[in-house]
Amino acid sequence: MAGLLLNERETEKGQLVSVCDADVLGEEFENDAASLTVDPEFYDGEAADEHDVVESLASCSVANLVGTTAVEIAIKNGFVEEENVLDFDGTRHAQLLWL
């Protein structure tokens, strides 16, 4: 399993979480419709494992996930549906918003 980076921030609207596979930090990806930059200012954080990510996603208001492993954890644990995942040059991106 790829190493994961987890960043949690408190905002006026609740907790904002960003999770990425460590090997995509700082990378840029594209697809036919958009581009995605895995900006270290937003995504860099503490080293995490699947348990840490699941706990964080369960308590957040909004989450951004980049990387095959990060997105697979969110799908496997019922936070994101497969059909809502975007593909960018071989990596995956998903967003989570609790309403």
Side-chain angles (χ1 to χ4, degrees):
M1 178 180 288
L4 296 163
L5 297 173
L6 171 66
N7 192 325
E8 300 173 322
R9 304 166 195 74
E10 286 301 323
T11 72
E12 292 178 12
K13 305 271 184 189
Q15 187 177 55
L16 169 63
V17 169
S18 57
V19 182
C20 76
D21 294 7
D23 63 349
V24 301
L25 187 66
E27 298 290 329
E28 294 184 26
F29 301 95
E30 293 184 5
N31 66 19
D32 292 336
S35 64
L36 172 66
T37 300
V38 189
D39 187 344
E41 286 190 35
F42 186 76
Y43 284 99
D44 197 10
E46 299 294 320
D49 61 18
E50 181 171 347
H51 176 77
D52 299 326
V53 171
V54 169
E55 280 192 347
S56 187
L57 294 177
S59 64
C60 74
S61 300
V62 177
N64 289 278
L65 304 111
V66 179
T68 303
T69 302
V71 172
E72 287 301 319
I73 289 169
I75 292 169
K76 179 175 115 177
N77 289 280
F79 294 106
V80 171
E81 295 179 10
E82 180 75 40
E83 58 268 16
N84 295 325
V85 174
L86 300 175
D87 288 305
F88 286 87
D89 279 343
T91 198
R92 307 183 87 200
H93 171 63
Q95 293 180 312
L96 170 66
L97 173 64
W98 294 107
L99 298 175

